[in-house]
Amino acid sequence: MSFSSGTDINRLEMDKERTFQDCERSPRPVAALASDHPDGEHIATHSHPRAQLIHTLSGVMTVTSREGSWVVPTGRAVWMPPREEHGIRISGNVFMRTIFVLDGARPNLPRTCEVIEVSAFLREAIVAATRIPLDYAPASRDERVMELILDEIEAAPRLHLHVAMPHDPRLVRLCERLIADPSVSVTLEELAAEIHVSGRTLARLFHRELGMSFGEWLRRMRLLLSLPRLAAGASVLQVALEHGYDSPSAFAAMFRRTLGVSPTAYLASQ
């Protein structure tokens, strides 16, 4: 599945080096930007006058705003309302694709930060949008692609299974390391030693910041990161080992406890 545009090739070349600022100044209500970010990069807190749909074709983003923090793996996107201050931390090499939407472009677009599922159809439309000139003609095919993206954002399933991130800088560092390597085997006491507190103190910090235990947070994080890998066709054995489980049966048991179905049944339902 792919989209193509009949736009003049010279105009496409002019848009190759577009920036965030170019998208903000676009004369049209929807603009798109492709940007690549290396592992470990931190995009400092900032805001945009337009709303954004921030999607990654690979890697994992941790997006933090005043409303909270979200772990956004491949296959999902975070909707950021206009003028909402946010920062982004990168885990893995992230190929980011961002849709900028003029405030008021649609009455039914989200009003708050949300993580949404990105279907294969929406993904291809987003990729195509990055090749559409910023001054695309009204009533053209290019405009219809942009309107289609808004349709899909409005209809996309909202992701209720998400992993919150703490605000305490010490916990943020620990959590980001575990997100970057979900296969690592760690104990609460080992992590506590890294930030020079007791295991009991670290347990209290997790409860205070996130309302859950460290073990529950770790299980939910690993589960969330495993979903795109399963959807991409990786075996349950492969995914289990990549996310810190000794066997596929242990991973499947955790999956069933959390979501109520087996990994195979969950993917079929999606």
Side-chain angles (χ1 to χ4, degrees), residues 6-200:
T7 308
D8 182 77
I9 188 65
N10 292 329
R11 294 172 70 207
L12 288 175
E13 289 296 324
M14 289 173 61
D15 272 347
K16 269 188 175 180
E17 302 302 322
R18 70 180 64 169
T19 65
F20 284 97
Q21 293 79 9
D22 295 330
C23 290
E24 299 288 9
R25 292 191 293 262
S26 169
R28 305 294 178 245
V30 185
L33 177 71
S35 57
D36 300 338
H37 304 270
D39 182 29
E41 182 179 351
H42 176 214
I43 300 174
T45 300
H46 64 287
S47 65
H48 299 277
R50 294 188 181 218
Q52 293 176 277
L53 184 74
I54 309 168
H55 173 54
T56 175
L57 304 181
S58 69
V60 179
M61 300 180 293
T62 302
V63 182
T64 302
S65 78
R66 290 171 297 182
E67 294 191 28
S69 299
W70 296 267
V71 178
V72 186
T74 305
R76 287 162 177 80
V78 62
W79 173 266
M80 192 63 56
R83 295 172 293 279
E84 181 75 25
E85 291 192 350
H86 61 283
I88 305 174
R89 289 188 180 273
I90 303 299
S91 297
N93 293 320
V94 163
F95 299 105
M96 189 184 298
R97 303 295 179 262
T98 306
I99 301 295
F100 293 82
V101 182
L102 193 66
D103 194 13
R106 288 281 183 92
N108 295 323
L109 289 170
R111 299 290 183 183
T112 60
C113 298
E114 294 185 4
V115 177
I116 70 170
E117 299 278 358
V118 175
S119 66
F121 185 74
L122 177 55
R123 176 186 182 277
E124 291 297 333
I126 291 171
V127 171
T130 65
R131 299 191 293 267
I132 290 176
L134 297 174
D135 61 345
Y136 55 86
S140 65
R141 186 177 185 278
D142 288 340
E143 182 181 67
R144 290 192 291 274
V145 171
M146 296 304 203
E147 290 295 321
L148 176 62
I149 289 173
L150 298 185
D151 289 341
E152 291 298 300
I153 293 173
E154 289 180 331
R158 272 43 183 173
L159 183 65
H160 299 295
L161 177 66
H162 70 281
V163 176
M165 287 290 285
H167 293 288
D168 186 306
R170 297 170 298 174
L171 298 190
V172 169
R173 288 194 297 272
L174 295 179
C175 290
E176 287 179 343
R177 183 163 65 80
L178 294 172
I179 290 168
D181 185 8
S183 67
V184 66
S185 177
V186 294
T187 66
L188 188 66
E189 288 70 24
E190 288 170 341
L191 292 177
E194 291 186 26
I195 61 173
H196 310 292
V197 299
S198 68
R200 182 174 298 180

Side-chain angles (χ1 to χ4, degrees), residues 185-237:
S185 177
V186 294
T187 66
L188 188 66
E189 288 70 24
E190 288 170 341
L191 292 177
E194 291 186 26
I195 61 173
H196 310 292
V197 299
S198 68
R200 182 174 298 180
T201 297
L202 182 56
R204 285 199 300 268
L205 286 172
F206 261 95
H207 269 290
R208 186 183 70 194
E209 292 258 332
L210 301 175
M212 66 181 71
S213 70
F214 165 71
E216 182 180 355
W217 181 89
L218 186 63
R219 286 191 296 273
R220 289 173 66 88
M221 179 273 290
R222 285 172 167 169
L223 176 61
L224 179 60
L225 295 184
S226 75
L227 296 180
R229 294 286 293 127
L230 290 169
S235 69
V236 173
L237 172 60

